[in-house]
Amino acid sequence: MNQGPTNPDPNREADRQLRDRIEKLRAELTEHNYRYYLLDAPSIPDAEYDEMLRELGRLEKSLAEPVPADSPTRTVGAPPSHVFEPREHLTPLLSLANAFNDDEVRDFDRRTGEMVGEPFQYIVEPKIDGLAVNLRYENGTLAVAATRGDGRAGEDVTDNIRTIADIPWHLAGADLPDLLEVRGEVYMSKSSFEALNHAQETAGEKLFANPRNAAAGSLRQLDPKVTAARKLSFFAYGAGEGGAQLAASQSGLLLRLKELGFSIQGYEKLQGVEELLKHYRQWQQRRATLPYEIDGLVYKVDAFNLQQEIGAVSRSPRWAIAHKFPAEEAITRVKRIVWQVGRTGVITPVAEMIPVKVAGVMVSRATLHNIQELQRKDVREGDEVVVRRAGDVIPEVVRVVAVDGERAPMITAPVFCPVCGSHVERSEAEVAIRCSGGLSCPAQLKERLKHFVSRGAMDIEGMGEKLIEMLTDEPEGSPLKLKSVADIYRIDFDAFTGREGFGRKKIDNLKLAVEISKQKPLSKFLFALGIRHVGEVTAISLSEAFCSMEAIMDADMESLQAVDDVGPEVAASIRSFFAEAHNREVLSALKASGIWPETVKAREIPGDHPLAGKIVVLTGTLHQIKRSDAHERLRKLGAKPTGSVSKNTDLVIAGENAGSKLSKAESLGIRVVDEAQLMEWLA
């Protein structure tokens, strides 16, 4: 008789799935250990690795079977490679268990307190994001240096370790054990990391993802000269064999190691879990200010006798734990790449991504910096990427994760501004691309307005940064809303009535200041426009050379470059500004409101004056005349005031407390006169 299919046992199926998941995690973690410890090329962020390891630990406990000795939860690091000779540690170099939140730290403190049964102190040290090494000293002389490896044996990197200035070759002092193992972290400072990647990029070599990978790769070089050139550093944090002879506590050991010539980090001795957590939160704020990377804090029971009493498990001590900071890197996918216009007109590529938590914050946008970085990193829409957020830095895309299959085409730089439609300009001298619509681009509006009203430009007293912010943030339709610099001269000042902080006198003064600004000379108006590379001095030179706004707007490259202080780059910037139709529209609106500088009379330079044609530098404090007024009157006499002393300088006028400019003039043999002589010439 046909009995039909039997029903599968759900318990056996669940058990099979559990075992499959455990085996998969063990295989993946073993591969990641190999990539991290031996290849120095991790394929996943640390936080993702930590989560996988924690999951494996939970699943192995639920299986209720003996855990194999080679499981990643029982081993440390990876076996030594065959490139370097293996070296056994005299005592195992264990790894630390990790805590990722306050509750896990409280659990650690509770367990520790139960085992100790008496009041005790912790020592708290920053956790360096580097490479652990074991230094063996025989009779005070460095004999062997090895990486952590699998905790029992590591790779012999003695020759490379000797290139690190922080590591002494010989230890001086009495009562040194015949055999001493000093444990510590080899790391690369942020400045050395940047210099190394710059050199790699210049040589067309692969860039390192972070300082930890760079330190690991540098320490495992076959040529010690390469290691030496990469400027590695070292902090000692512990001892293996012989350490008990040096001190009775971790804090005492650190002081002893310092006496022996090792660099150590600062530390704190604290009591109670709440003090630990308070200290942790303070370090979260401070970590970005350090010259090297840390990824958490380490809490250790300070007294060695208590450490021995508490003991260890297979891969980590029970008396210490690493409290990790929230992950600064995560993997997500790029949905699309857009172009963002900054407040100064620089246009940058930005990746819009599937939201992901990085350093405790949900991130959905990350900068790609510029078109060259975008192309170098080869980031495309649809790619899986590593995104990073260190400290308060804007999130950035670090690199693309290994890509399989067909990818989207590489995005190209825009021809027109994505905000205002003005043409994009790109200088060969720099990487950045810029919107040319300086006066009309909404993305640049606030900065342009602040510059336009500033002292030295239109000088509208009372219209400071806070008021500009308020007026640009006004809702649409408000009579006070500013959408361009021309709107300053269309403000309905009666609309300020009744607003907090705006009395009648203040409103009238602001209205008067705006009216007065209409009479500014050509040079001030030209400077106020914010044309790139056109400062106050160049604006004066242009106004004196062309005498009218119309002539400057229509000037060609050749005639512009005939003006003092105007080279090819400045001339190109001026031409680009006035060639943009959007800028001309704003200028037309200003002109319609009566804001247009009068034509300047061509300056007649007195050829017989002793300063005519002279390059003059003013330095020190002047008591009889403002420096800006002195500059203006010197120009009228045909002189050329400049800000720095060079071999081309004809004359230095030194006021009171003249400094380095005076010294340089004297060393170059340039004539120096005082303020009295200046006033005589001006008279």
Side-chain angles (χ1 to χ4, degrees), residues 436-489:
S436 63
L439 291 181
S440 58
C441 185
Q444 304 176 58
L445 180 60
K446 287 184 180 180
E447 293 304 309
R448 293 290 180 169
L449 285 167
K450 290 173 186 177
H451 174 75
F452 188 83
V453 304
S454 67
R455 189 171 298 172
M458 301 304 276
D459 194 17
I460 302 179
E461 191 172 348
M463 191 167 282
E465 291 192 7
K466 288 185 178 179
L467 183 56
I468 291 294
E469 296 275 353
M470 186 193 95
L471 297 179
T472 51
D473 291 338
E474 282 284 301
E476 290 295 331
S478 168
L480 297 175
K481 176 77 172 177
L482 295 185
K483 293 183 178 180
S484 80
V485 295
D487 289 340
I488 292 172
Y489 299 95

Side-chain angles (χ1 to χ4, degrees), residues 405-591:
E406 189 174 344
R407 302 171 69 198
M410 171 60 72
I411 194 168
T412 56
V415 178
F416 299 101
C417 173
V419 174
C420 71
S422 299
H423 72 272
V424 169
E425 55 185 10
R426 183 174 183 178
S427 167
E428 293 182 4
E430 62 177 8
V431 175
I433 58 175
R434 298 174 183 274
C435 166
S436 63
L439 291 181
S440 58
C441 185
Q444 304 176 58
L445 180 60
K446 287 184 180 180
E447 293 304 309
R448 293 290 180 169
L449 285 167
K450 290 173 186 177
H451 174 75
F452 188 83
V453 304
S454 67
R455 189 171 298 172
M458 301 304 276
D459 194 17
I460 302 179
E461 191 172 348
M463 191 167 282
E465 291 192 7
K466 288 185 178 179
L467 183 56
I468 291 294
E469 296 275 353
M470 186 193 95
L471 297 179
T472 51
D473 291 338
E474 282 284 301
E476 290 295 331
S478 168
L480 297 175
K481 176 77 172 177
L482 295 185
K483 293 183 178 180
S484 80
V485 295
D487 289 340
I488 292 172
Y489 299 95
R490 301 169 181 163
I491 291 175
D492 180 0
F493 288 94
D494 291 336
F496 281 111
T497 305
R499 297 231 176 176
E500 185 177 352
F502 288 91
R504 190 69 250 169
K505 184 176 181 181
K506 183 174 181 178
I507 296 171
D508 288 344
N509 287 342
L510 185 59
K511 185 177 181 180
L512 178 62
V514 170
E515 193 65 29
I516 291 172
S517 73
K518 294 180 179 181
Q519 310 305 319
K520 291 296 178 186
L522 175 58
S523 60
K524 299 286 187 184
F525 180 80
L526 191 60
F527 174 62
L529 297 180
I531 303 170
R532 196 155 173 266
H533 301 310
V534 176
E536 292 183 72
V537 174
T538 304
I540 291 170
S541 298
L542 288 167
S543 65
E544 291 177 347
F546 292 98
C547 301
S548 73
M549 193 65 199
E550 290 82 0
I552 297 172
M553 292 171 67
D554 295 335
D556 57 24
M557 288 287 291
E558 186 178 353
S559 56
L560 285 169
Q561 290 182 73
V563 178
D564 288 341
D565 307 316
V566 178
E569 191 174 0
V570 180
S573 180
I574 296 168
R575 289 285 299 151
S576 177
F577 182 89
F578 290 119
E580 177 51 55
H582 294 80
N583 290 336
R584 283 187 173 258
E585 288 172 9
V586 176
L587 289 169
S588 296
L590 284 167
K591 193 173 186 178

Side-chain angles (χ1 to χ4, degrees), residues 368-437:
L368 289 157
H369 298 292
N370 54 58
I371 187 67
Q372 282 193 4
E373 274 291 282
L374 173 66
Q375 292 170 346
R376 183 182 66 79
K377 292 177 179 175
D378 193 20
V379 180
R380 309 189 190 189
E381 294 179 349
D383 284 352
E384 274 199 347
V385 296
V386 175
V387 62
R388 176 176 175 82
R389 182 180 179 272
D392 295 325
V393 177
I394 298 170
E396 65 170 339
V397 173
V398 179
R399 64 185 181 277
V400 175
V401 180
V403 177
D404 295 322
E406 189 174 344
R407 302 171 69 198
M410 171 60 72
I411 194 168
T412 56
V415 178
F416 299 101
C417 173
V419 174
C420 71
S422 299
H423 72 272
V424 169
E425 55 185 10
R426 183 174 183 178
S427 167
E428 293 182 4
E430 62 177 8
V431 175
I433 58 175
R434 298 174 183 274
C435 166
S436 63

Side-chain angles (χ1 to χ4, degrees), residues 353-371:
M353 310 167 300
I354 297 172
V356 64
K357 184 169 281 191
V358 187
V361 176
M362 290 302 295
V363 171
S364 59
R365 289 167 62 89
T367 181
L368 289 157
H369 298 292
N370 54 58
I371 187 67

